[in-house]
Amino acid sequence: MRLHHFLLRSPAWRELDCYARAALVELYSIYNGENNGEIGMSERRLAGVLNCSRPTARTALRQLREHGFIRVRERGSFNRKIPHATEWILTEFPVGSALPSKDFMRWTPAENRAVKFSRVKEVYPPGKGGLPAQELEGPKNAVAGQ
């Protein structure tokens, strides 16, 4: 499976916690190019795969929904003759003949959310591909006397 640079650089991806990122990778691993919208994953199964609790798995799926990476096609239920897991749509990929919506690319952080500060500032040079260069804020390590 491939994680594209546009996805990895999106504000939605950067805002996800590690469990939500791992959950998305698990959902991508089920996708075979033709089964988008038929990707069954329950909270219980995801918790087992990620080796975490059900509430943590539920939070990961909620984050993925809120950030626009996945949508529910059919809600799972135990009240049917044959219980089944929720079926998910990955918004990065097409569903049938419909184009992918890539809802995560339109996601923006809430304005009232506290700004996260980091010691590392990413710099994206215009017109250059590949991974972003990183630049430490503050003085660089310099050899004495230079």
Side-chain angles (χ1 to χ4, degrees), residues 35-103:
N35 65 341
N36 199 9
E38 300 171 359
I39 298 172
M41 180 65 76
S42 67
E43 291 173 5
R44 186 182 310 269
R45 180 175 168 203
L46 184 62
V49 170
L50 297 182
N51 197 23
C52 66
S53 66
R54 274 186 69 196
T56 301
R58 181 181 311 120
T59 301
L61 290 170
R62 189 193 70 212
Q63 279 186 25
L64 291 174
R65 272 194 331 269
E66 289 173 354
H67 287 71
F69 289 97
I70 60 175
R71 286 194 323 256
V72 174
R73 183 177 86 60
E74 186 176 351
R75 178 91 39 209
S77 173
F78 285 108
N79 297 333
R80 297 170 63 174
K81 255 186 183 178
I82 301 172
H84 74 283
T86 300
E87 292 182 344
W88 300 99
I89 295 171
L90 299 169
T91 62
E92 183 180 355
F93 304 109
V95 180
S97 61
L99 294 173
S101 65
K102 296 183 183 174
D103 296 334

